[in-house]
Amino acid sequence: MYCKKKGKLIVVSGPSGSGKSTIVKHLLSQNLNLVFSVSACTRLKRKNEQDGKDYFFLSVEDFKKKIETDEFLEWEEVYNNNFYGTLKSEVLGKIERGYNVIFDIDVIGAKSIKKIFNSQAFLVYIQAPSIGDISDRLNSRSTEDSKQISTRLAKAKFEEKEKSSFDYILINNDLEEAKKNALIKVKEFIC
Ligand code: 5GP
């Protein structure tokens, strides 16, 4: 099985537009011996994203090959024909060397990681005030078209139902407050 000692795993999930990536970036900037697990995905790269830093952008064919060769800890077809997955090579060596690894993955992926690593993993669910608020945030960041926004809003409703499986629900009504609370909880878990 996998190495289940040394570094810890912090898994951050929540709807698109909940402020997840901002919280993850904030935690990465603190002195927590924390590194990001770069996922593989098959969606198109956005303008501000870098291959190998934000994601490993793969074709569907290459992604499926990696499924066959058992290279993922977990993977999901998060949106229709858009696959996302956590590569073993991104995580196992890092925790073995004593780094703590932080993930930005969906709720199903988070539950899969918990199943593998149990108490070595801490699941944080980021909750935006309301679906209306998520909709406003998605519209204002302009990285998705209206069809993609509707898909993401439908997914947000599903994700909300899964939040009781998480170790900590972080309410993001106020970003500065949310960053502070995230740091307190993650520090507590790591230390
Ligand atoms: P986005 O397209 O906005 O970058 O991500 C869409 C969704 O896929 C987000 O909820 C994000 O957390 C999730 N995601 C990103 N990487 C992974 C992964 O490796 N596995 C799973 N299960 N979900 C992921």
Side-chain angles (χ1 to χ4, degrees), residues 14 16 20 39 43 46 55 74 76 78-79 84-86 104-106 109 141 152 159:
S16 234
K20 238 182 336 176
S39 294
R43 73 152 165 75
R46 296 176 188 143
Y55 282 107
E74 63 76 36
E76 279 296 312
V78 175
Y79 301 114
Y84 295 76
T86 303
D104 172 344
I105 64 178
D106 84 331
R141 78 182 189 189
R152 282 170 187 252
E159 283 173 314

Side-chain angles (χ1 to χ4, degrees), residues 50-108:
Q50 277 177 40
D51 190 26
K53 180 169 174 273
D54 298 288
Y55 282 107
F56 296 106
F57 293 95
L58 303 181
S59 63
V60 172
E61 194 193 353
D62 285 346
F63 195 100
K64 287 187 173 168
K65 271 189 205 148
K66 288 191 186 297
I67 297 173
E68 277 164 27
T69 49
D70 196 27
E71 291 181 52
F72 290 111
L73 273 179
E74 63 76 36
W75 64 269
E76 279 296 312
E77 186 174 359
V78 175
Y79 301 114
N80 195 22
N81 220 29
N82 276 339
F83 293 84
Y84 295 76
T86 303
L87 291 158
K88 290 179 184 172
S89 58
E90 269 298 295
V91 178
L92 300 181
K94 287 171 183 164
I95 55 172
E96 168 68 13
R97 292 200 300 281
Y99 290 104
N100 302 308
V101 179
I102 189 162
F103 303 71
D104 172 344
I105 64 178
D106 84 331
V107 290
I108 306 292

